[in-house]
């Protein structure tokens, strides 16, 4: 019998502090909770503790598996903020969300001091868009605490990254970067089972780069770690559907469907229910595809 994707897909186990997450056939949904005044999509919407808790509960009820809290925007052109300001925005919300939901919490930060406080308050994943390059203490913190870490590709930094991104072969270059960051993490004492990868949609990428990364997304899932995809409501989808941020749900679903078909493990999304349904349908179909659909001449 010709093997299907179910028989071919290897289960990956992620260790995240005291939690163990097994990725087998279905992608996990990471719901975004930004406690920022200026995030590109939900900036200002969940600034009070009560609003943030309500939204976290709603995402849990809608089927989220993880909640990603961020207190500093990384949208193109976003100015960096001070550690004190980030902690002031984050900690009251994180502590209240920790009480209100039972899901693993991820902290979207580039600062080790912020990540440490978040881990002490119960976060078990550090989502570092600089892939451990932004703060020399971050790798040691992840190694010491045993939490999971997202290593994301970015060319440049948020204030300047969309000015003139350039690549020879974007997929090869992003893969090479991720391999190098995995090695740096391992050298710092982080276990392979703590690592999640992310090609970084929109982070120093032109339209054609984002589309190539999605079209060849399986290049990242072959690197041997769970792979996160963050396409939700982003500009490259807006460019295709010509719609403002809050009307990009169907466009996002199209991109999510391709990523799921190509083996994505974690979907970082704003619209939990819609993307969970999209992922459920696509991953069920993909389990019935012959392997030859994905690997033509195998
Ligand atoms: N995208 C954003 C923020 N954090 N983290 C990962 N790992 N991957 C992503 O693609 C990613 C991310 C940007 O989206 P959002 O959080 O909605 O906006 P902002 O950065 O303006 O807060």
């Amino acid at each position: 019998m010709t093997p299907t994707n179910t028989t071919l897909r290897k289960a990956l186990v992620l260790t995240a502090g005291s939690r163990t997450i097994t990725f087998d056939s279905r992608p996990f949904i990471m719901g975004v909770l930004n406690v920022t005044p200026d995030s590109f999509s939900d900036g200002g919407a969940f600034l009070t503790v009560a609003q943030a808790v309500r939204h976290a509960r709603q995402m849990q009820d809608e089927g989220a598996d993880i909640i990603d809290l961020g207190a500093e925007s990384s949208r193109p052109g976003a100015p960096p903020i001070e550690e004190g300001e980030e902690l002031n925005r984050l900690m009251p919300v994180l502590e209240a969300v920790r009480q209100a939901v039972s899901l693993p919490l991820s902290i979207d930060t580039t600062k080790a001091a912020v990540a440490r406080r978040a881990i002490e308050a119960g976060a078990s994943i550090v989502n570092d868009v600089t892939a451990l390059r932004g703060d020399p203490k971050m790798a040691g913190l992840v190694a010491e605490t045993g939490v999971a870490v997202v290593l994301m590709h970015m060319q440049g930094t948020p204030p300047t990254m969309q000015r003139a991104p350039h690549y020879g072969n974007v997929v090869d270059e992003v893969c090479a970067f991720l391999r190098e960051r995995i090695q740096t993490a391992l050298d710092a004492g982080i276990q392979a089972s703590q690592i999640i990868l992310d090609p970084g949609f929109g982070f120093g990428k032109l339209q054609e780069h984002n589309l190539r990364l999605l079209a060849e997304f399986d290049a990242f899932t072959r690197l041997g770690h769970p792979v996160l995809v963050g396409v939700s409501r982003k500009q490259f989808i807006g460019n295709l559907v010509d719609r403002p941020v809050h009307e990009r749900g169907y466009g996002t679903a199209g991109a999510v469907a391709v990523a799921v078909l190509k083996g994505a493990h974690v979907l970082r999304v704003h619209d939990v229910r819609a993307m969970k349904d999209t992922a459920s349908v696509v991953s069920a179909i993909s389990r019935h595809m012959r392997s030859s659909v994905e690997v033509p001449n195998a």
Side-chain angles (χ1 to χ4, degrees):
M1 193 179 125
T2 308
T4 63
N5 282 345
T6 326
T7 51
L8 285 181
R9 183 167 162 135
K10 200 174 79 185
L12 289 173
V13 176
L14 181 78
T15 52
S18 57
R19 294 177 188 257
T20 301
I21 297 174
T22 304
F23 297 102
D24 37 33
S25 56
R26 98 189 156 85
F28 273 46
I29 305 291
M30 174 187 266
V32 179
L33 181 55
N34 283 320
V35 287
T36 57
D38 59 340
S39 285
F40 81 96
S41 144
D42 54 357
F46 312 115
L47 280 182
T48 70
V49 171
Q51 285 168 327
V53 165
R54 202 175 312 123
H55 191 55
R57 279 211 180 100
Q58 183 186 338
M59 291 197 288
Q60 176 168 269
D61 292 347
E62 290 181 354
D65 300 287
I66 302 167
I67 291 181
D68 186 43
L69 286 115
E72 178 175 38
S73 173
S74 51
R75 77 189 144 75
I81 62 163
E82 295 296 322
E83 179 185 311
E85 171 67 9
E86 193 174 337
L87 283 168
N88 286 344
R89 288 179 187 173
L90 178 72
M91 292 313 294
V93 169
L94 174 56
E95 276 154 12
V97 168
R98 172 71 292 154
Q99 300 296 320
V101 304
S102 57
L103 300 176
L105 301 182
S106 158
I107 165 71
D108 187 345
T109 189
T110 62
K111 300 182 186 75
V114 174
R116 183 176 288 283
R117 288 279 304 277
I119 293 164
E120 285 164 3
S124 51
I125 302 173
V126 172
N127 176 16
D128 181 2
V129 297
T130 72
L132 308 174
R133 297 174 300 160
D135 185 329
K137 295 195 176 128
M138 191 68 104
L141 174 69
V142 173
E144 171 203 326
T145 55
V147 296
V149 63
V150 180
L151 302 178
M152 194 196 82
H153 175 272
M154 166 165 44
Q155 189 180 91
T157 58
T160 59
M161 65 193 179
Q162 288 307 108
R163 279 190 199 154
H166 60 279
Y167 298 87
N169 180 320
V170 66
V171 175
D172 290 352
E173 287 174 43
V174 172
C175 279
F177 171 90
L178 292 174
R179 279 197 200 93
E180 186 271 319
R181 296 320 294 165
I182 293 169
Q183 194 54 54
T184 301
L186 297 176
D187 291 346
I190 295 171
Q191 304 297 309
S193 63
Q194 287 170 257
I195 299 173
I196 301 173
L197 304 176
D198 180 351
F201 288 92
F203 286 85
K205 317 276 181 349
L206 299 176
Q207 187 76 2
E208 71 210 62
H209 301 139
N210 290 309
L211 297 179
R212 274 289 298 287
L213 293 177
L214 259 181
E216 297 182 35
F217 197 81
D218 40 317
F220 309 113
T221 49
R222 284 197 294 262
L223 294 173
H225 293 268
V227 185
L228 182 151
V229 56
V231 292
S232 187
R233 300 181 181 175
K234 283 191 176 165
Q235 184 60 49
F236 81 97
I237 291 176
N239 294 342
L240 295 169
V241 297
D242 193 19
R243 294 190 195 285
V245 165
H246 286 278
E247 295 175 23
R248 295 177 188 165
Y250 295 112
T252 299
V256 160
V258 172
V260 172
L261 212 46
K262 290 182 169 281
H265 300 86
V266 184
L267 309 172
R268 183 182 182 278
V269 296
H270 300 89
D271 307 294
V272 168
R273 187 193 303 262
M275 297 313 141
K276 178 135 188 148
D277 285 358
T278 303
S280 298
V281 171
V282 176
S283 61
I285 296 167
S286 108
R287 287 196 289 277
H288 289 81
M289 285 179 171
R290 292 175 193 279
S291 58
S292 56
V293 171
E294 285 233 335
V295 192
N297 299 313

